[in-house]
Amino acid sequence: MAAGLFEGQYVWHPAADDRTLASVCVDVRAGRWARARTALAETRGDHALRAHRSLVLASEAADSDLAERWLAEEPVPEAALLWARVAVLRALRAADARDDRAEPLERIALSACDRASAADPADPTPWVAKLAMARLHRLRDPAPRGLLTAPPGPWRLFAHVLSLDPWHREAHHRFLAFFFARHGGSVNAAWDVAAFLAQRAPTDSALRLLPLVALVESFDPARLLADRVWEQPQWRSTALAVHRDWLPTVAGYRFTPVLDLAYLAHALVMSRREPEARAALTAMGPYASRMPWSVFGDPVEQLSRARRACGLPVPP
């Protein structure tokens, strides 16, 4: 599904150009789940779309009792999945806020994930949701061979997800995030894991962006020439390879992968490859994500600066 043309304003909604999802979000905010059932049911077998839709719908439903009511009235796999997503989101929010309810909410979330995986054993999404919580209790399985730092982590849980979908995008990002310094890991471990995962992925996969994600995560504005790091040959060549091998596949996606395109565009702008960055920004259309731009300042200003550098229009 190709992104629409830029018409002068950014669209920040995470549904992007998945118009079915965008309209269902309106229903969910109004407390209705009938169309959510249909929107999730049609993603069975399409793991990327199922992960995308369930995560966005959970963000809309997390502050209401919709997921609980739906599951109570219709205990179908889609209701169990949305409940698991909502429960995990609540548990993560509570943990990050150091809320006294964090531990009971985590137990509820783990139970919800188990229920969703039992309802649809072939679906990796509940396991991916559980992987998102691994940082809360620091699972420490030994790392496989091939990593310089050999960082322990939730390797067994990750391996189970890969047995269901070896190139699951969200699973790889959740797993990498476990090793971020802000989650108790380290910069070196995150780089090591990102390189390990990216090298395993097909050349035309968005997972080849993972080292660039780790690079943004490690950005320290206090370091000398911190914003020149992307000009180093290893990072520039990584961005150019993703531009060459992955960007042409985006036209075949069922929804525009805005976040991946944003990381690619950012890396290309920072490495002073504006013609290639222009192609990535154009593929995004009007759709925008706060990452990675928010790491470097106001996301609207940073995205507009990147578009100007590439000769593209920006909102007035």
Side-chain angles (χ1 to χ4, degrees), residues 182-208:
R182 60 188 165 98
H183 292 156
S186 69
V187 170
N188 288 339
W191 279 347
D192 197 10
V193 170
F196 177 77
L197 298 179
Q199 288 164 6
R200 293 176 60 257
T203 56
D204 63 351
S205 170
L207 297 177
R208 291 278 176 156

Side-chain angles (χ1 to χ4, degrees), residues 32-55:
R32 300 186 294 266
W33 65 75
R35 295 178 67 203
R37 180 206 310 119
T38 303
L40 289 176
E42 71 181 31
T43 66
R44 292 185 185 180
D46 187 335
H47 298 154
L49 188 61
R50 194 169 180 83
H52 170 63
R53 285 187 174 176
S54 62
L55 187 59

Side-chain angles (χ1 to χ4, degrees), residues 263-280:
Y263 272 101
L264 176 58
H266 170 265
L268 290 167
V269 168
M270 296 292 281
S271 59
R272 302 181 184 273
R273 296 300 300 242
E274 286 83 3
E276 292 86 354
R278 180 187 177 98

Side-chain angles (χ1 to χ4, degrees), residues 17-311:
D17 56 350
D18 186 341
R19 293 179 176 82
T20 296
L21 176 59
S23 64
V24 172
C25 285
V26 176
D27 276 12
V28 168
R29 285 195 295 271
R32 300 186 294 266
W33 65 75
R35 295 178 67 203
R37 180 206 310 119
T38 303
L40 289 176
E42 71 181 31
T43 66
R44 292 185 185 180
D46 187 335
H47 298 154
L49 188 61
R50 194 169 180 83
H52 170 63
R53 285 187 174 176
S54 62
L55 187 59
V56 173
L57 289 176
S59 70
E60 298 287 353
D63 295 324
S64 73
D65 65 348
L66 179 137
E68 292 93 327
R69 288 189 292 110
W70 181 17
L71 185 59
E73 294 192 27
E74 292 182 356
V76 295
E78 284 67 37
L81 176 60
L82 185 62
W83 166 231
R85 286 292 217 176
V86 165
V88 168
L89 184 55
R90 290 173 181 167
L92 291 174
R93 286 178 178 176
D96 291 341
R98 301 187 184 280
D99 191 311
D100 291 340
R101 299 170 297 168
E103 288 191 14
L105 285 173
E106 183 183 355
R107 289 195 295 271
I108 291 170
L110 289 171
S111 176
C113 291
D114 289 341
R115 178 170 180 170
S117 60
D120 188 354
D123 182 9
T125 321
W127 296 97
V128 175
K130 187 180 287 190
L131 187 60
M133 292 193 296
R135 64 180 174 86
L136 302 184
H137 39 89
R138 302 304 301 171
L139 294 177
R140 301 186 65 81
D141 307 325
R145 293 180 180 178
L147 287 94
L148 294 175
T149 59
W155 291 95
R156 291 190 183 92
L157 179 55
F158 184 54
H160 182 73
V161 177
L162 300 190
S163 72
L164 299 173
D165 183 350
W167 312 119
H168 197 287
R169 181 203 174 278
E170 186 185 342
H172 282 74
H173 281 264
R174 295 288 192 185
F175 183 68
L176 175 59
F178 176 92
F179 300 96
F180 288 166
R182 60 188 165 98
H183 292 156
S186 69
V187 170
N188 288 339
W191 279 347
D192 197 10
V193 170
F196 177 77
L197 298 179
Q199 288 164 6
R200 293 176 60 257
T203 56
D204 63 351
S205 170
L207 297 177
R208 291 278 176 156
L209 281 162
L210 289 171
L212 299 176
V213 173
L215 185 59
V216 169
E217 179 66 25
S218 69
F219 176 72
D220 179 2
R223 259 190 351 228
L224 185 65
L225 301 177
D227 58 352
R228 303 294 294 271
V229 171
W230 282 262
E231 297 178 40
Q232 295 178 5
Q234 69 185 100
W235 304 117
R236 179 177 284 166
S237 63
T238 297
L240 289 173
V242 175
H243 170 271
R244 180 188 67 237
D245 299 327
W246 172 69
L247 186 59
T249 73
V250 169
Y253 277 48
R254 290 188 64 179
F255 62 92
T256 299
V258 177
L259 185 57
D260 290 330
L261 286 167
Y263 272 101
L264 176 58
H266 170 265
L268 290 167
V269 168
M270 296 292 281
S271 59
R272 302 181 184 273
R273 296 300 300 242
E274 286 83 3
E276 292 86 354
R278 180 187 177 98
L281 289 166
T282 300
M284 289 168 61
Y287 304 103
S289 62
R290 302 201 177 276
M291 288 292 288
W293 315 108
S294 60
V295 172
F296 304 87
D298 178 79
V300 177
E301 293 178 2
Q302 294 297 316
L303 176 55
S304 294
R305 180 182 297 177
R307 290 181 64 90
R308 287 193 198 94
C310 298

